[in-house]
Amino acid sequence: MNSSPSSTLSTTANRDLLDQSALSDLAQRLVEAARRAGADAADAVAVRGVSQGVEVRDGRVEESERSEGDDVGLRVLVGQRQAVVSTNDVSGDAVTKLAERAVAMARVAPDDKFVGLADPALLARDFPDLDLLDPAVPTTAELERRALAAEAAALGVKGVTKSGGASASAGIGGMVLVTSTGFHGSYLRSSQGISATAISGDGTSMERDYDFTSAPHGADLLSPEVVGRSAGERTVARYNPRKVETCKVPVVFDPRVAGSLVGHLVGAINGASIARKTSFLKDKLGQQLFAKNIRIIDDPLRKRGLRSQTFDAEGVAVKRTALVDDGVLTTWLLDCATARELGLTTTGHAHRGVSSSPSPGPYNLHLEPGTPTPAELIADIKQGFYVTDLIGSGVNGVTGDYSRGASGFWIENGEITYPVSEVTIAGHLFEIFKSMQPANNLEFRYGVNAPTVRIEGLTLGGR
């Protein structure tokens, strides 16, 4: 076992890992084979994934694992018919056979007038360096050290009775996309993470909470000690929760859960939902949904972003977009097919795996901060609820009805007081969006980031 904290990408093994030329060549051969087999158009995606992780509990390593592999997917179009096939075996004449099978499948597929590759005029031509690859790869010994340090910090918090485990991980993932219209793009990104879970109390009165950190670069991670201590402190704060009566009060969302509100918006403006008319926002494009100070940004070009990339899964150029600007809904999230169905142009939001056709999705999302501090945001609340954890997925994207299990803390006279559990918060997303007030404490820690957020008049279902 290598005891040094990290190894650089200059080693032969790591250079091979970062060399995507073989994947690029494979994707190109797949596209050419598809055209020879009779496809009118085709694209191929090759995905590389390498990951290692260590899990510890009670000061001992419970599991250490490593996985790596390359997978390829081929999409072919014959007229207005489409088929997608994938494999991780490209030995011998597998490329030719895969292409022939894909074309045969497309010929018997139903017509779909919206399928097709991206307009060549929309394809990405500039590929800025987003600094997504950390040159220092943590060794297994370093991952073990991080996990053990996080667990020790959690156990060092007074009131923590046992460990729920801790983990540390690292990986590199990449994609190559080649199309028959001449696009050829690739990217690689690293990922590292540390997490810890702590338990307080015992028997039926146990409480559990966690914290984690993740980033493409190890230097951007919170330290293991900070992660573990935060997990322990969160757990102890939850101990001995109370029940509350059913009431209608202001609800304040901790940054860890506030991003879920942004996620509900983005799910509702996904082009697939709009095209199927299954979104409660289907008629709201260009309308004022939020207060005028609200901006929600999707930024695929953020340096060192968790979901950053320079082109989408159809090769289309991506850009920073204000999904909500001055409270107004400005756009749908579209790939080429949903854009054609809606009579619009793709917004460069196509995502795909090797075995699926493209579909729309977001990149790095955030709600821009407001001006009040979190303390100022709750200062005038006589009775309210501060949410730190959400349970279940009781949000209806068709109607906009919102109902989720929650736990957190009671707010009394502008102060966070005792812990509360086993409640439900309910309302409607229109009203939630309309009353949203962000604090000034935005941090970029997740794929979806938001500051502390206050919502007026939600129903709290208690005892």
Side-chain angles (χ1 to χ4, degrees):
M1 179 181 291
N2 188 347
S3 60
S4 64
S6 63
S7 56
T8 68
L9 295 176
S10 60
T11 64
T12 300
N14 285 327
R15 283 201 306 271
D16 291 344
L17 172 64
L18 302 187
D19 182 4
Q20 292 179 293
S21 57
L23 283 181
S24 296
D25 176 66
L26 173 58
Q28 185 68 47
R29 287 190 290 121
L30 279 167
V31 169
E32 292 169 354
R35 294 302 302 273
R36 287 195 302 272
D40 296 317
D43 63 12
V45 59
V47 175
R48 168 162 292 167
V50 177
S51 65
Q52 56 182 336
V54 173
E55 295 184 13
V56 304
R57 190 186 299 267
D58 298 328
R60 296 189 302 274
V61 175
E62 274 200 332
E63 187 173 4
S64 179
E65 60 180 7
R66 177 183 172 89
S67 65
E68 58 182 277
D70 296 339
D71 296 284
V72 294
L74 175 66
R75 178 172 63 137
V76 303
L77 295 109
V78 178
Q80 293 183 324
R81 299 176 178 184
Q82 173 179 274
V84 178
V85 295
S86 63
T87 187
N88 56 12
D89 177 14
V90 288
S91 59
D93 59 353
V95 166
T96 299
K97 289 183 177 179
L98 189 72
E100 290 173 347
R101 186 163 76 249
V103 171
M105 289 169 59
R107 284 178 172 145
V108 297
D111 281 344
D112 183 345
K113 61 183 178 181
F114 303 118
V115 302
L117 302 189
D119 182 339
L122 300 175
L123 296 175
R125 291 174 175 80
D126 298 318
F127 305 96
D129 179 10
L130 302 181
D131 195 15
L132 300 179
L133 195 62
D134 190 340
V137 181
T139 63
T140 302
E142 169 62 9
L143 295 178
E144 182 179 327
R145 184 199 70 79
R146 293 176 184 179
L148 289 170
E151 182 182 55
L155 289 170
V157 174
K158 185 179 180 181
V160 170
T161 53
K162 63 175 71 174
S163 168
S167 66
S169 62
I172 291 176
M175 184 182 90
V176 173
L177 175 66
V178 174
T179 74
S180 59
T181 51
F183 178 82
H184 192 137
S186 64
Y187 63 81
L188 276 170
R189 73 159 63 90
S190 52
S191 62
Q192 297 188 40
I194 304 166
S195 68
T197 301
I199 298 168
S200 62
D202 52 33
T204 58
S205 63
M206 285 196 302
E207 292 292 333
R208 175 190 303 260
D209 212 325
Y210 68 95
D211 205 352
F212 71 96
T213 179
S214 60
H217 284 249
D220 295 334
L221 294 173
L222 298 175
S223 73
E225 293 78 12
V226 167
V227 172
R229 187 163 56 251
S230 173
E233 289 170 349
R234 285 177 176 271
T235 299
V236 172
R238 291 177 61 147
Y239 187 63
N240 198 21
R242 305 185 200 176
K243 306 291 190 294
V244 294
E245 301 289 344
T246 296
C247 53
K248 198 167 188 176
V249 293
V251 174
V252 179
F253 287 73
D254 182 84
R256 191 167 75 175
V257 292
S260 66
L261 301 175
V262 177
H264 299 321
L265 168 80
V266 169
I269 64 172
N270 186 295
S273 298
I274 302 302
R276 291 194 300 264
K277 301 188 185 304
T278 56
S279 168
F280 75 102
L281 295 180
K282 63 182 183 297
D283 302 317
K284 301 301 180 183
L285 189 63
Q287 294 191 21
Q288 187 96 33
L289 298 182
F290 299 79
K292 289 195 173 182
N293 66 323
I294 298 295
R295 296 184 84 232
I296 296 175
I297 307 297
D298 188 27
D299 187 6
L301 299 175
R302 194 171 79 227
K303 285 206 167 188
R304 297 195 180 192
L306 281 170
R307 302 175 180 173
S308 297
Q309 57 194 68
T310 56
F311 59 91
D312 79 350
E314 296 176 295
V316 172
V318 298
K319 62 182 180 180
R320 187 178 193 269
T321 305
L323 308 180
V324 172
D325 198 6
D326 293 331
V328 174
L329 178 61
T330 65
T331 186
W332 309 130
L333 300 188
L334 303 171
D335 63 356
C336 287
T338 56
R340 292 186 189 105
E341 190 167 356
L342 294 168
L344 300 169
T345 302
T346 177
T347 57
H349 281 94
H351 295 257
R352 68 180 285 193
V354 294
S355 59
S356 60
S357 56
S359 60
Y363 300 102
N364 300 302
L365 291 162
H366 74 269
L367 168 64
E368 291 204 337
T371 53
T373 64
E376 290 168 343
L377 201 66
I378 68 172
D380 66 339
I381 297 178
K382 286 187 168 50
Q383 301 279 319
F385 182 51
Y386 185 88
V387 185
T388 58
D389 200 23
L390 290 166
I391 305 156
S393 55
V395 180
N396 189 322
V398 179
T399 65
D401 290 324
Y402 181 95
S403 178
R404 298 193 68 179
S407 59
F409 299 87
W410 192 244
I411 301 171
E412 201 162 291
N413 296 322
E415 299 288 339
I416 293 175
T417 57
Y418 53 83
V420 171
S421 68
E422 296 181 17
V423 297
T424 301
I425 49 176
H428 194 281
L429 286 172
F430 278 139
E431 301 304 318
I432 290 172
F433 293 161
K434 190 185 300 181
S435 73
M436 184 181 288
Q437 294 178 263
N440 67 351
N441 60 332
L442 176 68
E443 293 182 349
F444 292 101
R445 290 189 58 189
Y446 315 111
V448 184
N449 296 283
T452 303
V453 169
R454 174 173 170 171
I455 307 294
E456 301 301 325
L458 290 179
T459 299
L460 197 67
R463 58 190 177 192

